[in-house]
Amino acid sequence: GCLNVHTSLLPRYRGAAPIQWAILNDDTETGVTIMKMDAGLDTGAILSQAKTPIHPADNAETLHDRLARLGAELLVQTIPEYVAGRIPPLAQPAEGVSYASKIKKQDGQIDWTQPARVIWNRVRGLVPWPGAFSYLPGQPQPHLLKIWQAEAVERSGSAGEILQADKTGIVVGCGRDALRILVLQREGGRRLRVQEFLAGHPLLPGQKLG
């Protein structure tokens, strides 16, 4: 039969976007699974698995690259043992099944009423596509603002309100705590660190993102 490398610890995160959902759900660990393919959606018997931590500095891009290397190494180790009959396929357990649905563009839009940590995970989990985004007030229409790097900070303020905008970051109030934006991109522009961005697009405390 055919073998498949799946970038999660099955049966968790069957489906199209296991890497993104592991970060979106604030998991601290993920991994790869070598499995036998069958007619179901990532339901085949497991041959081997390998784990890796999800670091705070990780995003979906860096985690993808690490899992690709891990999966390649595991596949090279597994195939000879499987062909020699030394690895019996194990049916996936019925407990712990979850699904990682396909990411859609609208999944990137930030809801500032959510806690800062949830939004931070959205920023990390949706690099490079669709990217976490919000909107700056503007005429004749709001400007899309993509956020590439940020961190959660302990600070209170109205959801979506800019609390601080200087070379250390753009701090935006959330449903709980606040998000400090460090790297961002205005629609039609290029990706900039916050100091460069503010030099060309000044923002003031009290302005709202939405």
Side-chain angles (χ1 to χ4, degrees):
C2 297
L3 302 185
N4 181 49
V5 183
H6 187 77
T7 49
S8 80
L9 298 172
L10 291 170
R12 186 164 175 80
Y13 298 133
R14 295 172 179 171
I19 297 172
Q20 292 92 329
W21 284 107
I23 296 176
L24 288 168
N25 289 334
D26 206 23
D27 290 0
T28 58
E29 183 180 67
T30 186
V32 293
T33 301
I34 310 297
M35 53 171 281
K36 289 192 71 175
M37 294 177 69
D38 64 10
L41 178 65
D42 300 322
T43 55
I46 293 171
L47 300 183
S48 59
Q49 292 184 316
K51 298 178 180 180
T52 185
I54 300 176
H55 305 293
D58 274 324
N59 58 38
E61 199 166 43
T62 63
L63 188 56
H64 168 277
D65 291 349
R66 189 160 73 252
L67 289 171
R69 291 191 297 271
L70 189 64
E73 293 165 1
L74 186 61
L75 190 61
V76 169
Q77 296 166 17
T78 301
I79 288 175
E81 296 295 301
Y82 173 59
V83 171
R86 290 190 287 267
I87 298 180
L90 297 176
Q92 292 188 32
E95 301 78 31
V97 174
S98 64
Y99 292 90
S101 58
K102 186 177 180 180
I103 297 294
K104 303 179 291 294
K105 185 174 182 180
Q106 56 264 36
D107 291 327
Q109 183 159 7
I110 292 171
D111 176 0
W112 293 104
T113 65
Q114 292 184 319
R117 188 174 180 89
V118 172
I119 298 172
W120 172 65
N121 284 330
R122 188 161 297 273
V123 171
R124 300 163 62 222
L126 299 182
V127 171
W129 188 91
F133 61 88
S134 191
Y135 290 93
L136 276 171
Q139 296 297 330
Q141 60 186 19
H143 305 294
L144 186 141
L145 190 69
K146 188 169 282 192
I147 299 168
W148 288 98
Q149 188 179 336
E151 60 186 9
V153 294
E154 291 185 359
R155 185 163 173 180
S156 59
S158 176
E161 181 182 351
I162 296 174
L163 308 177
Q164 175 185 329
D166 57 33
K167 63 182 182 181
T168 66
I170 300 166
V171 180
V172 184
C174 303
R176 183 168 69 246
D177 297 326
L179 191 77
R180 187 192 306 277
I181 301 170
L182 302 172
V183 180
L184 65 168
Q185 180 179 7
R186 190 177 173 190
E187 188 171 18
R190 59 189 180 92
R191 196 183 308 190
L192 298 170
R193 298 203 68 82
V194 69
Q195 190 170 1
E196 299 173 285
F197 182 89
L198 291 174
H201 308 284
L203 297 175
L204 298 173
Q207 286 182 282
K208 280 265 193 178
L209 301 182

